[in-house]
Amino acid sequence: MKFDEIDSKLLGLLQEDSKKTTKEYAHHLNLSVTAVYERIKRLEKTGIIRKYVALVDKKKIDRAFVVLCHVKLVQHTKAYVLQFEKEVQGLQEVVECYHTSGDYDYILKIYVRDMEAYRDFMVTKLTALNHIGSTQSSFVINEVKHTTRITL
């Protein structure tokens, strides 16, 4: 779908704070409330806006220990790949999973309480998945940049 400069500005505003009223967006864009409402509905209908979420402070919910775990499967068969991807969906500690090129097949982003919780996750959950050949974990020292905003 093509969108114009106003759509781009509107998407930027929504990505910054989607809890504002349509009237506030309309004022900022110099449009009528109805025009902004219709643009938002069109962006939702076409799937450009997938959903609205609350961003939770992981420190305040005791999940500030961030791990990037590289996973290598024992083989690259379709069955193994599909099974791993299905099983990783059920791991609540895993917030992101990427199928990648390079030395490892997947990169998992994991939020847990601390090193002890990560060890427990590795021993009881991750390594219990079928067809994992090896893993390598990196622990985040400091989060330098984290955003959900996509520049248009």
Side-chain angles (χ1 to χ4, degrees):
M1 180 197 127
K2 288 186 177 183
F3 50 91
D4 60 20
E5 188 178 330
I6 293 172
D7 288 333
S8 293
K9 287 180 181 178
L10 178 56
L11 286 168
L13 293 169
L14 287 165
Q15 288 183 92
E16 191 65 36
D17 184 359
S18 65
K19 294 254 324 174
K20 289 184 178 178
T21 65
T22 307
K23 184 177 179 179
E24 289 174 289
Y25 299 128
H27 176 73
H28 188 79
L29 297 168
N30 291 322
L31 294 174
S32 70
V33 172
T34 302
V36 170
Y37 176 82
E38 289 173 357
R39 283 177 181 267
I40 291 172
K41 287 300 170 197
R42 180 173 43 82
L43 292 168
E44 291 170 348
K45 184 179 179 184
T46 57
I48 291 174
I49 296 174
R50 290 186 309 152
K51 64 181 176 178
Y52 299 91
V53 298
L55 300 177
V56 176
D57 185 334
K58 59 188 170 295
K59 291 178 184 172
K60 293 186 178 179
I61 61 163
D62 204 20
R63 296 292 180 273
F65 194 77
V66 181
V67 183
L68 301 175
C69 181
H70 297 73
V71 176
K72 187 182 291 188
L73 300 181
V74 291
Q75 288 184 339
H76 295 257
T77 65
K78 182 178 180 179
Y80 287 8
V81 165
L82 294 176
Q83 183 176 2
F84 174 79
E85 290 178 1
K86 181 181 178 187
E87 290 176 343
V88 81
Q89 296 290 329
L91 301 176
Q92 66 183 16
E93 295 87 350
V94 176
V95 295
E96 297 176 41
C97 175
Y98 300 97
H99 192 177
T100 61
S101 63
D103 291 337
Y104 288 87
D105 301 313
Y106 292 91
I107 298 175
L108 310 179
K109 186 174 187 180
I110 300 162
Y111 291 166
V112 289
R113 182 182 64 253
D114 53 23
M115 182 63 83
E116 185 179 333
Y118 181 64
R119 182 184 185 286
D120 184 58
F121 167 77
M122 283 293 289
V123 171
T124 64
K125 295 181 180 180
L126 187 61
T127 57
L129 299 183
N130 292 316
H131 315 301
I132 291 181
S134 64
T135 63
Q136 179 183 347
S137 301
S138 298
F139 307 103
V140 173
I141 295 169
N142 183 39
E143 186 175 273
V144 177
K145 180 178 181 180
H146 177 95
T147 184
T148 60
R149 184 182 185 132
I150 300 172
T151 304
L152 305 170

